[in-house]
Amino acid sequence: ELAGSFVVFGKLAFALQDNGWYLRSDVVWHKPNVMPESVKDRPTRAHEYLFMLTKSATYRYNHAAVKETAENGGTRNRRTVWPINTSSSSGTSHIAPFPKALVEPCVLASSEPGDFVLDPFFGSGTVGLVAQKLGRRYVGIELNPTYVAEAHSRLSDPPAPNSVFPKDKTYDLQPAFLETPGHFGNDAGNLPTTLPPTSSQPNRRKTKSKPNK
């Protein structure tokens, strides 16, 4: 799942679609307790988007695990507007931590107990906390050393963060790798070491050569 504004993440979602991913659904995260804005020339923004993407036309989606309450008191298939209050940043310096209630349906619908959940923007570890609660394993990658330390302190019995990049190279920010205890262990040599930092990645945009006239 991708979350954020439509302008930024919409472009990313469509780019992934062009790269072979399936864009299966967009979800509106409605924030009932959104902070007021001092704008007078547009409505106050009280939502973000989540995009559900898959790598194949057939995939796991456990609709029964994420059913919602219907008007008649029964249950129904989950709708695409999720009214969920934003969460307090208490206990972390992260300015906008996801509420656990936003992460839970994403994990429940797309995984089974014991599966791995990957969060490449781990922040202060909310996805890891939800994974632990729901019996999933997790892999988190985070650049900010402050968030790494906070995630490590929030997660129950976590291992020391491992670096996913070679120790003989220097980066402005050293990415850290946090994972479910007991899977990779504390040997960073077992972790991938071929991913360069984003700032040094070459431009891989394909260009079409124009034929000579």
Side-chain angles (χ1 to χ4, degrees):
E1 298 277 354
L2 297 171
S5 70
F6 185 83
V7 173
V8 175
F9 285 96
K11 290 181 178 179
L12 175 58
F14 295 144
L16 288 170
Q17 191 176 31
D18 291 339
N19 198 39
W21 289 74
Y22 292 80
L23 180 55
R24 297 295 296 127
S25 180
D26 62 293
V27 172
V28 174
W29 170 23
H30 168 223
K31 307 175 184 179
N33 66 333
V34 69
M35 291 291 292
E37 294 180 334
S38 59
V39 296
K40 303 299 182 183
D41 58 349
R42 61 172 175 80
T44 295
R45 188 165 175 267
H47 72 281
E48 291 187 39
Y49 287 93
L50 286 79
F51 295 96
M52 176 182 170
L53 297 111
T54 67
K55 284 293 290 179
S56 63
T58 57
Y59 52 92
R60 173 187 292 136
Y61 181 78
N62 188 351
H63 77 282
V66 292
K67 284 186 175 181
E68 63 184 22
T69 303
E71 287 82 356
N72 62 5
T75 59
R76 66 184 185 186
N77 193 39
R78 181 172 284 268
R79 302 314 196 233
T80 56
V81 177
W82 300 357
I84 298 172
N85 283 340
T86 59
S87 61
S88 168
S89 58
S90 176
T92 172
S93 62
H94 199 289
I95 59 172
F98 281 148
K100 296 184 182 72
L102 182 68
V103 178
E104 287 178 359
C106 301
V107 173
L108 286 169
S110 60
S111 66
E112 297 291 339
D115 285 350
F116 269 100
V117 177
L118 169 66
D119 185 354
F121 308 100
F122 204 52
S124 55
T126 299
V127 169
L129 290 171
V130 172
Q132 287 182 332
K133 173 185 175 183
L134 299 178
R136 274 70 168 172
R137 296 176 287 177
Y138 63 87
V139 173
I141 301 171
E142 177 55 48
L143 282 171
N144 190 311
T146 300
Y147 296 162
V148 170
E150 290 175 352
H152 186 257
S153 66
R154 295 175 72 200
L155 294 163
S156 60
D157 191 29
N162 288 319
S163 170
V164 299
F165 297 112
K167 291 184 172 63
D168 59 348
K169 295 184 179 180
T170 302
Y171 304 109
D172 293 337
L173 289 173
Q174 183 72 8
F177 181 101
L178 293 95
E179 41 86 18
T180 299
H183 182 70
F184 291 108
N186 292 323
D187 181 7
N190 292 333
L191 303 176
T193 58
T194 57
L195 299 174
T198 303
S199 59
S200 68
Q201 289 184 1
N203 185 352
R204 300 182 182 275
R205 179 177 295 175
K206 296 181 180 179
T207 58
K208 295 182 180 179
S209 59
K210 297 182 178 179
N212 294 326
K213 295 184 177 179

